[in-house]
Amino acid sequence: MTPVVHVENLRAVAGGRALVDGVSFALSAGRVLALVGASGSGKTTTGLALLGEHAPGVAVSGRVAVTGRIGFVPQQPAAALNPVRRLGGVFREIAALHRGDPAELVATALRRARVPADLLRRYPHELSGGQQQRVVLAQSLVGDPAVLVADEPTTGQDPITRAEVVDELASVVAQGVALVLLTHDLDVVRALADEVVVLRSGRVVEAGATADVLDRPREPYTRALVAAQPRVTVPGDRPARRPRLELHGVTARHRATTVLRDVSLQVGAGECLAVVGRSGSGKTTLARCVVGLHPTFGGEVRLDGRPLPRSLRKRSRAELASVQYVFQDPRSSFDPHRTVLSQVARTAVRLRGSADATAEALAELAAVGLDEATATRRPAGLSGGELQRAALVRALLARPDVLVCDEITSGLDTLTQASLLDLLAALPCAVVLISHDLAVVARLADRVAVLHRGDLVEHGSAGDVLGLPTHPVTIGLLGRSMEGTEEKRT
Amino acid sequence: MSLRRYAVRRLAIGAVQVLAVVTVVFLLVQALPGDAAVALAGDNPDPRRIGEIRAAMGLDRPALDRFGSWLWGLAHGDLGVSLVSGRPVVAFLLDGLGPTLVLAVLALVLLVPLSVLLGVVAALREGGVVDRITTAITVGLHSIPEFALAVVLIALFGVHLRWLPPTAVGADLLAQPAVLVLPLVVLLARPVCSISRLVRAGMIDALASDHVRHARRLGIGAQRIRFAHALPNALAPAVQQVARTTDWLLGGVIVVEAVFVVPGLGTILVDAVAARDLPVVQGLAVVFAVTTVLVNLVADLIGFRLAPRSVAIA
Amino acid sequence: MRGVGALLVTVPLLLALAGPWFVPDDRTRGGPFMPNSWLGTDFVGRDVWHQVLAGGRTVVLVALLATLLSYLVGVPWGVVAAMSRPRVVDDLLMRPLDLLLAVPSLLVLILTATIAGPGLPVLVGVVTLVNFPDVARIFRGAALEIAGRPALEAMRLQGESWWRTSIVYPGRSMVRTLAADSGVRLTGALYLVASASFLGVGVPPDAADWAVMVDRNRVGLFLQPWAVVVPAVLIVALSVGLNLVFDRALRAEARS
Amino acid sequence: GTTGAAPAASAPKAGGRLRAAFAGGGAKEVLDPHLANLFVEAARSKALFDKLADLGPDVSAQPRLAERWEPDATLTRWRITLRQAAFHDGRPVRAEDVLASYARILDPNRAFRAKSSLALVDLANSRAVDERTVEFALERPFIEFPNALAAFGAYIVPAGAEDFAAPVGSGPFRFVSFEPGKSVLLKKNPDYWEGAPHLDELEFVIANEESARANALLGGQVQYAHDLTPTTARSHTGSDRMAIHRSPNSAVQAFAMKLDRPPFDDRDLREAMFLLADRPQLVESVLAGSGQVANDLFGKGYQYYADDIPQRARDLDKAKFLIRKAGAEGLTVKLDTSTAAAGMVEAATVFADQAKGSGLTIEVVTGNKDSYWADTLKNGSLSSFRSGAMPIETHIAQRLLSDAGTNVTKWSRPEFDDLYRRAVSTVDGAERGGLYAEMQRSLHAEGGYLMWGFADWIVGASPNVGGISTAPANTLDWARFDKVWLG
Ligand SMILES: Nc1ncnc2c1ncn2[C@@H]1O[C@H](COP(=O)(O)OP(=O)(O)OP(=O)(O)O)[C@@H](O)[C@H]1O
Ligand SMILES: Nc1ncnc2c1ncn2[C@@H]1O[C@H](COP(=O)(O)OP(=O)(O)OP(=O)(O)O)[C@@H](O)[C@H]1O
Ligand SMILES: [Mg+2]
Ligand SMILES: [Mg+2]
């Protein structure tokens, strides 16, 4: 079979630094090639080069040959949809560019991407994240592209959605499209890819058939990457401890819609409570009620038996220090105008009156692998994974009794993720961990709470919930995770 | 919130606003030095005569009493009669509304395409010569008061070159469209500048956005990208500005009306304030406030359509 | 293009601020609109050059002061409305402004000016009154967005001081909004000051004031154009220059 | 005088429509001639209606609808014979109409402008002798009764007329249509008693801005532009598109000092003020040379004007001396002014400049223009003043008698009141002239009006318009369109 994609010695340089350095690969129709690697290793840059694009300030050289049309599913699908256009109009516009009956073309593309046709009357903001992703996929599929480039299609999706996306891509490939997959999610790679190219700092570390590379890695880097991947295992039961943080009948709403209904939970000292659920089920809202960022909730949050003021403004320094939060989106939780170090150190200054906050901050940053050179840059100079770690240190400097972590592993490669999980496991405080990744949950959690559309549908020890799930959502989440791990394409 | 419920709620707030506006205007007019009798007496301010005029106008009744009966009339759709001429206020408003509406509507009809065109052209050539020249001109024009621009245009095109009639004196605006050219140019100069700058800024942002980049990848043509994808995003702030311009236009383009002799609402307003003709000022305030409320409502509804996201969040 | 903006700002600004010191005390009066001195005479026979020297300060000061005052009132107004809890405060602050916006600004201008009579403070007040609701609205929007930012929430979780969470961070974040707004706002203030003289508001009709000069001398445009042209060009140069300077600063800031 | 490149068409020609641009009062204008207040209303009333008398070029009363008038020996009964004239609807103008018109003006429940001038008519005892003869009874002897007949707004309307939506008068033009604040269209009255007008049609259009009136004239949109500035006149002198017509002595420009309060209750200080004013400079800069220097007296060129009193000139040294003598050195006086009339503010600042170095400081205060006249009648001590043409007798009666309604200078002298009473009951013209001269001498010596100039009234017209008179504004021949033709 002749390759439809042929890349030879691709280089991308920005400001004297090589972002991509001598990448070569080829891909035939109906096959899947995965580019894997840590955050910042050059995946997106390579993917854009296939489209003949590059970020401003980046110079690209080398040979890129693509036969036929190429479709692209970008890393953030929400940003790729025009907020003021209904979906239908844009689809008709795209269809008009191709030969054939427009209605037919759109219908086919929607069917292939599993987008219900009645979504066409909506605006992008009226869709869930997963739906947005599928809509963008459908847009790329109109008129049968020869090649599809999908950039991190599963990042930040819950296991059920993630599995759906994998299924969709699989069926697209089955129809003869060549797929270039840019991801750090090895489960997805196993599920979809025929070949894997492992990138590290822009260089190809290892390449070959998926089974060869992932199951019998030759390079130490690849081996480490694969080894660090957590698996969903059913943990054994640990004895319950005296509750530190208690939630009683927490009910929260965003304007008129109730997003949390009568949720009661507890976490003991040194325990880890995992909160899982599909996207939009209310996990972040729950976290914000606990840390005082959603002061209008009903019910009560208690720390060591004493009710915590609902609003951050009413909390004393000690109370502030005792409950800390790591935001879901690390980049937006930093002030872009100040260095990361100075921002991280402020916690120690304000909440503990530390005399040498900077030294303390530097030490803890170093412990999570961030050196001084990195920390003294502004947030824009750090990768997503680095910022996530900095945000964690910022919270930990308060020496909290309760730490609430919202999706802190989603943007990370397996190696970085593993080191972070080790750090969390060693924490003496109570941890509330919000995660889509049940493998992470299984690794850390003592107790698991499952939220579904604002209701607490399951709550118990990790062994019970993960081992003997009773609610269909839990079963769904868990089942899909297992599937993702075990299913392999042949 | 549904569009209709939103509109109904806004209208209810609007009614309260109108009431508040007329109250404020009443208080302000009461606070003006002198009253209608003094103004009418003019350079013959014999106190006895002023007293007689005051009695004839009913100004000797307490202010609250007069305001009360005016409000009572308003509730019955009656705007009262002019203190000075005794003609019904409605007749004044109808007289002035025609010319002002002709000017305002024509200005609006021209304003939107003109400023969009200018803004888009400047944005597509961002940083280029065309962009810099339009920027300098729009900023310069934006700071020139209408009267100064009008003086120059009249002197040049009306008097010196004789290409266009220098005023609209005694003319029927619709029958002799030539008289409208200069007033419209003067009227449009400032709003076109401000709105085209907004469109330009919005367009530049939109052209650099991810969704436009994505649309390009999908192979959509350059023209469609510019006008169907980028432009709608650039229009939302411009629509708000257009709404405010409408208010300005309907609020009587006093200067333009005076310089070009268009007997519209602006002229009536100035005269009525000078004559302290309270019912007429009040009637105008009602018209202005109602228009402002409606125009802003329409702008918000259009904004709802143009930026569905922001309204949903707000 | 480089430096053009600065030049356009400096010349009128220098003339405006330093000019009054160079006006001789014993000014003579001649016939109106005579071409007998450098820039001729104005509508009451005063030397136009002296009037130009003396007349910039009011225009520039009023425009600057009014703009400054609009921000001094409008920014805290909008920020307090946006950040306030309970939200009733927001309504209490913003509803009256909606009301102000529902009265045509011209009506406000004519009525308040007639009530208050002429005088520079009145002019500053009126221009501020017309501008600040708009400023408050813009900055309320900006502050609402900033108040919801995780970065600010993170600072509050860190127990940051009121000064840093309510002033330093929002202030820094609003600089761009401010810079983008202030060029246009200053131009608008200059325009309003100039228009006010046409409406007979604020300054006495024969004041030494660039804006008044444009209005009052226009009758003599055919006899002696300098009395109109020079002050008009100075006003326009000032606004164009200010906008060019602000634009450049904004672009520089965006690049960094 | 009249200037312009092309001389006005010399021989009168019939036909055509003349459009005349005036400043207006916006939509508040009405066609009721008794309510007339503005120039445009006066001009329109004049075209549609007649008064019994009107003011001639020397501002003395001339017969109009009245063919002649005869007082009895007591000067309290006046027999007036009407001319044969008809209203536009064909009905003759009768004595009854005259009595009804005056009764309407004098209605105690209304406030027409002519009321004060006609107040001395004893209506109950006046009567219609026959169809064309009226006998008026007056409350006191009054030789100047014709001045009252010529008063502003004393028009004769058909008896019972109340609705002036489509007015019917006896004037040279008939009503066609009216759009308030915009225009009034009239057509000629071929049966006018003084002969039909030359014009077929006359249209009054409203343009409040002076520049707009001038531009409309230059653009050929109107043929007559009322009330132009000297600057406009100068700009277009010699132009082939605009002829300038000046009416000298039309408006007096002055400062009014109040005599009943400090500091101007001091006669020396008033004289000092008279001597401070540099009148030629005021005329030069404020009136742009379009006017004459005044001598602190009203009515230059009018009947009874005392032109034998020597012209005052600036004398700074003497003024300084008088200021010191009055103990007013270092005093600051507020000069109230406003834009209520053209040139007042400018005159005030020029005068304030002239007072520099005299020991007295004059501070100009600009007040509200709409209530200016009422404000300055009561408040302050020094104010700007301006007045249009009227007979000298009327000026005195309205502004200088102890009980006058608009006595802005608070001039209150029993002996002066006496002189006036004697003058208006003196039949002999020469003797009366002597009494007026005596009154003017005392005003000149120690009165409160510092009258510095008489402004020309300036009208622009197309060069082909003929028959425009240069009589002072407010007199009969001013804005008299039945004598005007389009060449
Ligand atoms: N415009 C640019 N100028 C300079 N460096 C850039 C630019 N864009 C990206 N980079 C750098 O290039 C490197 C590769 O970026 P790229 O987006 O391809 O990474 P990635 O593998 O897709 O990472 P992620 O998993 O986080 O999406 C990163 O180190 C990034 O900081
Ligand atoms: N500011 C807001 N205004 C209105 N609705 C909101 C707001 N924030 C969240 N919601 C809605 O509340 C619900 C719960 O949101 P929440 O952010 O708690 O979900 P989540 O479980 O954290 O989802 P994810 O896994 O995608 O982060 C969702 O339906 C969401 O759309
Ligand atoms: Mg990437
Ligand atoms: Mg979340």
Side-chain angles (χ1 to χ4, degrees):
Chain A
M1 236 191 301
T2 49
V4 286
V5 179
H6 197 112
V7 176
E8 223 174 270
N9 197 22
L10 182 71
R11 274 177 63 84
V13 183
R17 188 161 74 95
L19 313 180
V20 174
D21 196 358
V23 170
S24 306
F25 58 85
L27 182 65
S28 312
R31 307 269 295 164
V32 180
L33 176 107
L35 286 173
V36 298
S39 162
S41 56
K43 302 185 293 288
T44 300
T45 310
T46 308
L48 285 179
L50 291 180
L51 299 168
E53 286 182 33
H54 53 81
V58 178
V60 179
S61 61
R63 206 175 81 86
V64 174
V66 177
T67 320
R69 222 168 51 72
I70 185 163
F72 185 69
V73 182
Q75 196 161 353
Q76 287 110 11
L81 293 170
N82 193 332
V84 310
R85 299 282 313 267
R86 286 182 207 269
L87 301 175
V90 178
F91 267 105
R92 275 190 294 279
E93 247 176 64
I94 302 168
L97 298 169
H98 300 281
R99 234 176 297 132
D101 174 28
E104 183 63 36
L105 284 173
V106 173
T108 312
L110 292 180
R111 201 162 353 95
R112 286 170 71 183
R114 304 190 201 172
V115 177
D118 59 341
L119 290 191
L120 288 185
R121 284 202 320 277
R122 299 205 192 167
Y123 288 100
H125 74 273
E126 293 169 328
L127 304 180
S128 78
Q131 286 170 329
Q132 286 176 340
Q133 184 130 35
R134 276 175 292 179
V135 165
V136 175
L137 178 64
Q139 288 183 340
S140 311
L141 289 178
V142 176
D144 293 316
V147 182
L148 196 62
V149 178
D151 194 356
E152 303 284 8
T154 55
T155 303
Q157 305 277 11
D158 63 65
I160 296 177
T161 315
R162 187 172 69 146
E164 280 171 9
V165 172
V166 169
D167 288 351
E168 280 146 23
L169 291 174
S171 69
V172 168
V173 171
Q175 286 154 8
V177 176
L179 175 66
V180 179
L181 191 63
L182 318 178
T183 186
H184 57 246
D185 187 336
L186 296 184
D187 289 339
V188 173
V189 174
R190 281 178 210 280
L192 282 176
D194 302 300
E195 291 161 53
V196 179
V197 174
V198 182
L199 287 179
R200 186 182 186 187
S201 309
R203 289 174 175 277
V204 177
V205 174
E206 190 170 356
T210 306
D212 290 344
V213 173
L214 293 190
D215 296 341
R216 291 174 292 281
R218 276 178 281 121
E219 294 294 319
Y221 179 72
T222 317
R223 217 171 296 141
L225 211 58
V226 174
Q229 188 187 14
R231 310 264 155 174
V232 180
T233 48
V234 177
D237 266 359
R238 280 169 251 182
R241 317 248 180 104
R242 190 175 55 80
R244 201 120 212 215
L245 179 78
E246 293 163 276
L247 277 71
H248 285 283
V250 170
T251 299
R253 48 182 69 232
H254 282 293
R255 303 215 166 230
T257 41
T258 306
V259 295
L260 276 183
R261 240 170 268 98
D262 196 23
V263 174
S264 300
L265 286 170
Q266 47 191 359
V267 198
E271 259 183 4
C272 173
L273 168 75
V275 180
V276 299
R278 298 204 59 175
S279 176
S281 56
K283 303 185 294 292
T284 299
T285 309
L286 182 74
R288 293 172 63 84
C289 292
V290 172
V291 300
L293 289 170
H294 191 96
T296 54
F297 70 91
E300 208 170 50
V301 175
R302 285 191 213 148
L303 183 69
D304 294 329
R306 282 190 320 278
L308 273 175
R310 271 165 228 276
S311 163
L312 211 55
R313 290 163 197 261
K314 301 214 179 69
R315 295 192 181 176
S316 67
R317 290 222 177 157
E319 283 167 333
L320 280 178
S322 59
V323 182
Q324 282 288 311
Y325 182 48
V326 184
F327 288 80
Q328 185 165 4
D329 177 3
R331 194 166 293 278
S332 66
S333 76
F334 280 95
D335 176 356
H337 302 296
R338 290 188 289 148
T339 65
V340 170
L341 176 62
S342 69
Q343 296 186 57
V344 169
R346 288 296 291 176
T347 311
V349 177
R350 293 293 303 178
L351 295 180
R352 286 192 299 108
S354 164
D356 199 357
T358 309
E360 218 176 310
L362 272 176
E364 300 225 355
L365 284 169
V368 296
L370 296 175
D371 56 17
E372 183 165 358
T374 310
T376 48
R377 273 187 250 145
R378 290 187 187 178
L382 272 68
S383 82
E386 289 165 336
L387 278 176
Q388 213 143 31
R389 284 173 271 164
L392 179 62
V393 172
R394 176 170 63 182
L396 288 178
L397 276 177
R399 307 277 178 261
D401 298 324
V402 176
L403 178 70
V404 184
C405 303
D406 198 350
E407 296 290 1
I408 62 169
T409 57
S410 63
L412 301 180
D413 58 278
T414 48
L415 280 173
T416 321
Q417 181 178 324
S419 65
L420 208 67
L421 294 185
D422 291 340
L423 182 81
L424 284 179
L427 285 179
C429 61
V431 174
V432 177
L433 179 78
I434 294 171
S435 182
H436 284 315
D437 192 337
L438 289 180
V440 169
V441 171
R443 161 108 163 66
L444 285 183
D446 300 303
R447 307 166 64 75
V448 175
V450 182
L451 283 178
H452 184 55
R453 295 190 178 151
D455 289 310
L456 182 65
V457 294
E458 206 152 354
H459 180 207
S461 73
D464 290 350
V465 176
L466 298 182
L468 298 162
T470 53
H471 195 271
V473 173
T474 323
I475 298 170
L477 289 171
L478 212 52
R480 290 307 208 158
S481 299
M482 304 292 192
E483 249 172 57
T485 321
E486 280 144 26
E487 189 190 68
K488 279 187 203 135
R489 266 168 41 98
T490 42
Chain B
M1 201 173 340
S2 80
L3 209 60
R4 186 175 310 148
R5 264 191 53 198
Y6 177 72
V8 167
R9 213 192 65 161
R10 284 286 306 267
L11 280 178
I13 295 177
V16 177
Q17 270 181 324
V18 172
L19 256 181
V21 167
V22 293
T23 312
V24 169
V25 169
F26 178 83
L27 293 176
L28 286 176
V29 175
Q30 282 298 311
L32 289 178
D35 60 9
V38 167
L40 185 66
D43 63 353
N44 186 15
D46 186 340
R48 213 173 30 226
R49 178 154 175 260
I50 290 178
E52 285 168 358
I53 299 176
R54 209 165 266 155
M57 287 178 171
L59 285 176
D60 41 1
R61 286 163 57 205
L64 211 64
D65 191 13
R66 279 181 290 128
F67 187 53
S69 46
W70 183 83
L71 273 186
W72 181 247
L74 183 70
H76 295 77
D78 174 15
L79 287 171
V81 296
S82 153
L83 283 181
V84 179
S85 72
R87 290 176 63 217
V89 171
V90 174
F92 277 90
L93 301 185
L94 289 181
D95 283 347
L97 205 59
T100 303
L101 264 188
V102 169
L103 270 183
V105 168
L106 274 176
L108 274 181
V109 165
L110 293 171
L111 171 65
V112 176
L114 258 180
S115 37
V116 166
L117 192 77
L118 255 171
V120 168
V121 166
L124 294 181
R125 305 258 181 288
E126 194 202 347
V129 180
V130 176
D131 181 29
R132 282 178 181 179
I133 291 175
T134 36
T135 300
I137 292 179
T138 48
V139 170
L141 267 185
H142 191 75
S143 65
I144 300 182
E146 279 93 351
F147 72 82
L149 186 62
V151 168
V152 174
L153 292 182
I154 292 175
L156 191 63
F157 297 106
V159 176
H160 189 70
L161 296 172
R162 292 189 169 207
W163 288 353
L164 290 163
T167 71
V169 84
D172 183 344
L173 296 186
L174 290 177
Q176 292 150 264
V179 302
L180 287 170
V181 176
L182 288 180
L184 280 176
V185 170
V186 173
L187 216 51
L188 283 171
R190 263 172 62 80
V192 163
C193 293
S194 60
I195 294 171
S196 67
R197 282 175 69 74
L198 280 177
V199 171
R200 172 182 174 272
M203 198 66 188
I204 288 174
D205 281 353
L207 283 173
S209 69
D210 282 343
H211 59 80
V212 161
R213 201 169 309 130
H214 184 67
R216 282 208 192 98
R217 282 186 198 128
L218 289 170
I220 296 174
Q223 292 309 319
R224 283 210 75 93
I225 297 243
R226 284 170 191 171
F227 294 102
H229 290 255
L231 189 57
N233 285 284
L235 284 184
V239 165
Q240 289 300 324
Q241 187 65 29
V242 172
R244 239 168 288 154
T245 308
T246 318
D247 152 50
W248 170 260
L249 290 175
L250 287 172
V253 202
I254 297 189
V255 174
V256 170
E257 289 188 4
V259 174
F260 290 101
V261 198
V262 180
L265 293 180
T267 312
I268 295 184
L269 175 65
V270 174
D271 288 333
V273 171
R276 307 288 186 265
D277 200 339
L278 186 64
V280 179
V281 179
Q282 295 273 76
L284 283 167
V286 171
V287 171
F288 290 157
V290 168
T291 327
T292 311
V293 167
L294 287 182
V295 164
N296 279 314
L297 177 66
V298 170
D300 284 354
L301 294 185
I302 295 177
F304 197 93
R305 172 69 189 76
L306 283 179
R309 178 82 193 271
S310 66
V311 178
I313 292 168
Chain C
M1 284 302 277
R2 183 167 265 277
V4 171
L7 187 76
L8 285 180
V9 177
T10 325
V11 171
L13 215 57
L14 266 183
L15 265 181
L17 298 179
W21 289 312
F22 295 96
V23 184
D25 279 342
D26 53 334
R27 281 182 275 167
T28 52
R29 234 178 243 276
F33 300 120
M34 290 302 184
N36 44 14
S37 59
W38 185 36
L39 293 178
T41 60
D42 73 350
F43 71 109
V44 278
R46 297 172 297 194
D47 188 311
V48 169
W49 174 237
H50 294 161
Q51 294 295 106
V52 167
L53 283 177
R57 210 176 262 181
T58 46
V59 181
V60 171
L61 280 187
V62 168
L64 284 177
L65 270 180
T67 309
L68 197 70
L69 216 60
S70 308
Y71 286 126
L72 280 182
V73 179
V75 175
W77 194 296
V79 172
V80 167
M83 305 251 179
S84 68
R85 249 156 243 288
R87 301 302 296 156
V88 193
V89 179
D90 185 23
D91 276 347
L92 278 180
L93 285 172
M94 296 314 287
R95 290 294 144 222
L97 294 197
D98 286 355
L99 199 133
L100 251 182
L101 290 170
V103 194
S105 42
L106 230 45
L107 187 60
V108 177
L109 204 80
I110 292 179
L111 289 179
T112 44
T114 314
I115 293 170
L120 291 185
V122 174
L123 197 51
V124 172
V126 167
V127 176
T128 306
L129 191 71
V130 171
N131 270 308
F132 97 91
D134 215 30
V135 172
R137 270 214 321 199
I138 291 175
F139 281 85
R140 175 178 172 274
L144 264 183
E145 190 263 324
I146 291 168
R149 282 190 194 166
L152 191 68
E153 293 181 335
M155 288 175 74
R156 284 169 39 205
L157 267 170
Q158 281 179 303
E160 271 298 4
S161 60
W162 174 88
W163 173 249
R164 284 197 181 215
T165 53
S166 303
I167 304 292
V168 177
Y169 177 76
R172 181 67 188 82
S173 308
M174 280 185 215
V175 164
R176 226 186 130 70
T177 316
L178 189 73
D181 186 62
S182 52
V184 180
R185 187 121 349 244
L186 252 175
T187 318
L190 276 173
Y191 156 84
L192 261 182
V193 173
S195 296
S197 73
F198 180 88
L199 296 173
V201 173
V203 268
D206 61 346
D209 177 298
W210 291 346
V212 177
M213 287 176 76
V214 176
D215 177 30
R216 297 310 308 268
N217 290 322
R218 67 197 160 101
V219 283
L221 193 66
F222 292 107
L223 294 173
Q224 211 287 82
W226 301 125
V228 179
V229 172
V230 174
V233 165
L234 285 170
I235 292 180
V236 172
L238 188 60
S239 355
V240 175
L242 279 172
N243 273 277
L244 290 182
V245 168
F246 277 116
D247 275 2
R248 176 173 286 274
L250 264 181
R251 255 182 279 135
E253 201 250 16
R255 251 182 270 122
S256 77
Chain D
T2 299
T3 55
S10 42
K13 238 169 86 181
R17 177 197 283 198
L18 179 110
R19 277 180 149 195
F22 280 74
K28 72 166 189 260
E29 304 160 22
V30 286
L31 290 177
D32 183 342
H34 297 157
L35 281 173
N37 232 347
L38 310 165
F39 281 117
V40 66
E41 289 170 328
R44 281 195 308 231
S45 303
K46 176 184 294 188
L48 286 165
F49 299 92
D50 279 310
K51 292 189 266 196
L52 291 181
D54 214 333
L55 302 174
D58 67 345
V59 199
S60 65
Q62 311 289 320
R64 294 294 294 161
L65 270 184
E67 205 161 38
R68 56 181 185 279
W69 45 66
E70 295 144 291
D72 69 354
T74 65
L75 296 180
T76 57
R77 291 200 84 80
W78 287 70
R79 178 178 285 253
I80 288 167
T81 312
L82 298 181
R83 177 183 303 285
Q84 185 127 34
F87 289 112
H88 300 152
D89 58 5
R91 284 180 294 159
V93 178
R94 299 156 307 152
E96 247 171 83
D97 297 312
V98 172
L99 285 172
S101 298
Y102 280 25
R104 182 168 187 260
I105 292 170
L106 290 170
D107 184 339
N109 296 322
R110 305 223 216 179
F112 294 119
R113 187 173 173 129
K115 192 164 163 181
S116 60
S117 304
L118 293 175
L120 81 173
V121 174
D122 175 7
L123 262 188
N125 292 314
S126 307
R127 65 193 177 94
V129 178
D130 59 39
E131 277 271 279
R132 284 174 46 208
T133 314
V134 194
E135 196 175 272
F136 282 113
L138 303 190
E139 281 165 357
R140 53 186 167 82
F142 192 48
I143 188 68
E144 308 282 23
F145 185 52
N147 284 350
L149 303 181
F152 198 98
Y155 288 98
I156 305 305
V157 300
E162 269 304 334
D163 177 14
F164 292 89
V168 171
S170 62
F173 291 92
R174 293 180 179 177
F175 175 80
V176 178
S177 65
F178 175 40
E179 289 176 76
K182 193 174 166 198
S183 76
V184 172
L185 181 61
L186 310 176
K187 63 169 193 261
K188 86 167 164 194
N189 174 9
D191 308 323
Y192 189 49
W193 58 265
E194 210 182 6
H198 302 299
L199 297 172
D200 283 341
E201 284 178 316
L202 170 64
E203 185 178 6
F204 291 93
V205 291
I206 300 300
N208 289 328
E209 275 268 305
E210 188 263 352
S211 62
R213 296 194 291 276
N215 289 329
L217 181 62
L218 290 169
Q221 294 173 306
V222 300
Q223 290 76 42
Y224 180 100
H226 183 248
D227 191 10
L228 300 183
T229 60
T231 303
T232 304
R234 221 181 95 203
S235 305
H236 301 287
T237 300
S239 138
D240 57 352
R241 290 200 236 169
M242 187 191 283
I244 300 295
H245 305 265
R246 292 171 196 270
S247 305
N249 297 344
S250 286
V252 70
Q253 303 274 351
F255 301 109
M257 302 174 270
K258 288 199 170 41
L259 271 61
D260 64 341
R261 63 196 73 174
F264 298 111
D265 50 355
D266 187 319
R267 190 196 149 149
D268 290 329
L269 196 59
R270 296 204 292 278
E271 195 180 346
M273 295 286 280
F274 288 143
L275 294 171
L276 271 180
D278 181 346
R279 292 151 217 262
Q281 192 192 48
L282 278 161
V283 170
E284 171 74 9
S285 7
V286 179
L287 304 181
S290 288
Q292 282 100 54
V293 163
N295 193 26
D296 300 326
L297 289 175
F298 182 82
K300 189 172 199 165
Y302 303 175
Q303 192 184 19
Y304 304 127
Y305 181 74
D307 44 14
D308 54 337
I309 302 178
Q311 172 67 44
R312 264 204 184 98
R314 177 169 161 96
D315 185 341
L316 187 58
D317 292 331
K318 190 165 177 206
K320 277 189 195 160
F321 166 77
L322 286 169
I323 288 169
R324 218 169 311 124
K325 185 171 164 218
E329 213 174 353
L331 191 73
T332 298
V333 186
K334 287 206 163 80
L335 168 49
D336 291 308
T337 188
S338 86
T339 52
M344 289 204 311
V345 178
E346 293 85 341
T349 30
V350 173
F351 185 51
D353 276 356
Q354 292 173 354
K356 280 185 185 148
S358 69
L360 192 74
T361 307
I362 292 178
E363 183 195 333
V364 177
V365 180
T366 311
N368 184 278
K369 70 174 172 39
D370 306 313
S371 56
Y372 176 77
W373 301 111
D375 292 344
T376 53
L377 182 62
K378 284 199 301 269
N379 312 322
S381 57
L382 178 65
S383 58
S384 291
F385 182 85
R386 178 191 177 278
S387 167
M390 61 178 72
I392 288 175
E393 177 275 318
T394 311
H395 167 70
I396 292 172
Q398 289 188 356
R399 298 173 181 149
L400 292 162
L401 299 183
S402 310
D403 58 349
T406 55
N407 190 344
V408 61
T409 57
K410 311 292 178 198
W411 173 262
S412 169
R413 303 273 160 115
E415 65 280 9
F416 184 90
D417 296 354
D418 234 40
L419 279 176
Y420 170 80
R421 221 163 298 128
R422 266 170 57 208
V424 296
S425 46
T426 301
V427 182
D428 180 70
E431 193 186 336
R432 200 160 62 232
L435 290 166
Y436 279 122
E438 201 180 329
M439 284 186 261
Q440 292 180 63
R441 263 194 298 281
S442 78
L443 287 172
H444 183 260
E446 51 175 328
Y449 284 114
L450 190 177
M451 299 200 175
W452 56 264
F454 291 98
D456 292 349
W457 201 255
I458 301 173
V459 164
S462 300
N464 66 337
V465 176
I468 296 177
S469 150
T470 55
N474 278 353
T475 63
L476 172 64
D477 288 333
W478 157 85
R480 191 172 174 198
F481 293 103
D482 52 325
K483 297 294 182 206
V484 165
W485 67 87
L486 285 165

